[in-house]
Amino acid sequence: MAEVRLATEPFDPGAELARFTAAHPTAGGVVSFTGQVRAGDSVEALELRHYGPLTLPGMRELADAAAARWPLAGLLVIHRSGELRPGEPIVLVAAAARHRRAAFAAADFVMDHLKSQSWFWKREKRAGTWHWIEPRGEDYADLGRWKTDLEEPFDTAHAQSQE
Amino acid sequence: MAGLVFLGRLGDLAGAAEIAMPMARTTALAVVMDRLPPALIAGLRSPKVRVAVNGELVPAEQPLDALMIADADEIAFLPPVSGG
């Protein structure tokens, strides 16, 4: 039921969302989140790297966990890999459900796990130099809101204590 | 050849995203790692780095040194992730 994609080329979140919404006419609501590269933040470029054997299978497992937890009519997860410019979309998560609470919660859950427990590595270029980015303390804290059976590859309690 | 794959900042430490390691025989990972530069070894041994062999994640609690690496295996070193 979940549609999960690892995109290596730019995608159009508006077109994807319109298509997804049209495909789920029985859903009473669709909640979506689009993440994009911040402009005007002295970031010249953002690069996302992935590891083929783990990244897409992990995204599918995450989507399945969300679909098992909330009554969804549909779930769409698209995440970019590669080099991105300011303003370009990084991620789109859309959840369609009969009632809004499930859609809000599922989209929120998937985003929290994409930020700090999915197989992506992110670096940004500032003043011509690349810097690797690790999740912030609040990214790990956000995760703590969900109790799941998903294996969390990185010990969030340990990471938080180092903040 | 065994392939060592370095994700994220570990690729900067290694100077390459991937290193091919000649393997005469099946060898413990500790011995394979000993052939790498000390600064890279230190990075790979961080408790926050996870390891996957041929796309299978090694359990976090399993000691890495005794992992047996065969010719044509791919060993990936995975530092803390950051997506979205």
Side-chain angles (χ1 to χ4, degrees):
Chain A
M1 182 223 31
E3 184 186 337
V4 180
R5 279 192 349 241
L6 179 62
T8 54
E9 299 292 333
F11 68 96
D12 178 349
E16 296 288 351
L17 187 57
R19 181 187 54 76
F20 176 77
T21 303
H24 296 288
T26 61
V30 174
V31 167
S32 75
F33 176 86
T34 304
Q36 58 183 6
V37 184
R38 252 180 230 111
D41 214 9
S42 76
V43 172
E44 292 149 13
L46 186 81
E47 189 190 13
L48 283 142
R49 293 201 192 156
H50 71 280
Y51 180 51
L54 293 180
T55 306
L56 187 56
M59 290 169 68
R60 291 206 177 103
E61 207 177 311
L62 172 59
D64 288 346
R69 184 162 175 161
W70 290 281
L72 302 178
L75 179 63
L76 173 66
V77 181
I78 303 174
H79 199 295
R80 268 301 305 275
S81 182
E83 196 170 319
L84 286 74
R85 302 274 138 205
E88 265 188 66
I90 305 167
V91 59
L92 171 66
V93 172
R98 193 167 177 81
H99 300 291
R100 74 183 184 285
R101 292 277 172 232
F104 274 115
D108 200 12
F109 170 88
V110 170
M111 270 315 302
D112 279 354
H113 285 80
L114 285 172
K115 288 297 274 191
S116 61
Q117 295 292 333
S118 296
W119 299 107
F120 289 100
W121 294 269
K122 180 163 71 177
R123 62 177 190 162
E124 56 186 31
K125 189 154 91 178
R126 292 175 184 271
T129 309
W130 287 101
H131 305 273
W132 289 102
I133 312 292
E134 288 192 9
R136 304 162 305 154
E138 57 247 62
D139 291 328
Y140 288 125
D142 287 344
L143 257 194
R145 299 183 298 145
W146 315 102
K147 284 198 171 59
T148 74
D149 293 333
L150 280 173
E151 186 197 2
E152 290 183 353
F154 296 97
D155 178 354
T156 54
H158 176 72
Q160 261 178 282
S161 70
Q162 295 202 331
E163 277 299 305
Chain B
M1 292 284 180
L4 305 186
V5 180
F6 308 105
L7 277 305
R9 65 175 76 244
L10 297 174
D12 294 352
L13 271 180
E18 192 162 357
I19 292 178
M21 197 67 103
M23 300 282 288
R25 64 188 69 81
T26 297
T27 308
L29 183 58
V31 177
V32 177
M33 281 169 63
D34 270 347
R35 299 188 220 158
L36 300 171
L40 176 56
I41 297 175
L44 301 181
R45 286 192 175 282
S46 157
K48 288 166 114 188
V49 171
R50 298 292 307 268
V51 171
V53 177
N54 299 325
E56 292 287 330
L57 204 57
V58 177
E61 59 281 3
Q62 184 175 330
L64 297 176
D65 283 350
L67 272 182
M68 295 309 286
I69 306 303
D71 197 31
D73 277 353
E74 178 170 285
I75 303 97
F77 294 90
L78 313 156
V81 292
S82 180

